[in-house]
Amino acid sequence: MEDLVVSRSFVVPDGELRERFSRSSGPGGQGVNTTDSRVELSFDVANSPSVPEHVRARLLERLEGRLVDGVLTIVASEHRAQLMNREAARARLVNTLRDATAPPPPPRRATKPTRGSKERRIAAKKRRGDVKRSRRTRFDD
């Protein structure tokens, strides 16, 4: 296979990826019992020399729940063919790494509600109260 391009400054060499194959459940008929089509793709985020240092800290923080001893593992078994599962696992790994390395969004600046929005909110509350008041039953003695 070939190297995975996550961004311009972050490329994962093929040699740093580990693939394991096993039997997959699901569709495949008689072949499901004989072919190793399930793919486990592993990438050592914590010790990889290809991960830039400024990115490594962000990856370790954001993928904290998915890492086992600093290793990220992606499993693909949705296709019947091993090759398609390999491609799916690689695509999923690239998307996961891209999402985790994306810069954080700018902080939200708090703003006050506008005068019009306050008035609309109060008017809606009054209308709702009027509706509820009109539904009350009155008992006459």
Side-chain angles (χ1 to χ4, degrees), residues 17-90:
L17 299 174
R18 300 283 168 252
E19 290 179 320
R20 262 185 38 192
F21 306 103
S22 59
R23 292 195 179 140
S24 175
S25 63
Q30 295 171 337
V32 80
N33 298 324
T34 59
T35 59
D36 292 339
S37 61
R38 181 175 182 262
V39 177
E40 284 184 27
L41 183 65
S42 299
F43 174 59
D44 191 354
V45 176
N47 301 317
S48 171
S50 64
V51 179
E53 283 305 317
H54 67 280
V55 173
R56 186 184 318 274
R58 188 180 293 166
L59 279 174
L60 292 174
E61 178 187 339
R62 291 193 180 167
L63 297 174
E64 180 178 32
R66 296 188 63 176
L67 297 178
V68 177
D69 295 330
V71 178
L72 174 65
T73 302
I74 304 288
V75 177
S77 62
E78 59 265 16
H79 301 288
R80 288 175 59 170
Q82 185 187 87
L83 184 62
M84 291 183 72
N85 281 330
R86 289 176 79 184
E87 291 171 0
R90 286 170 170 264

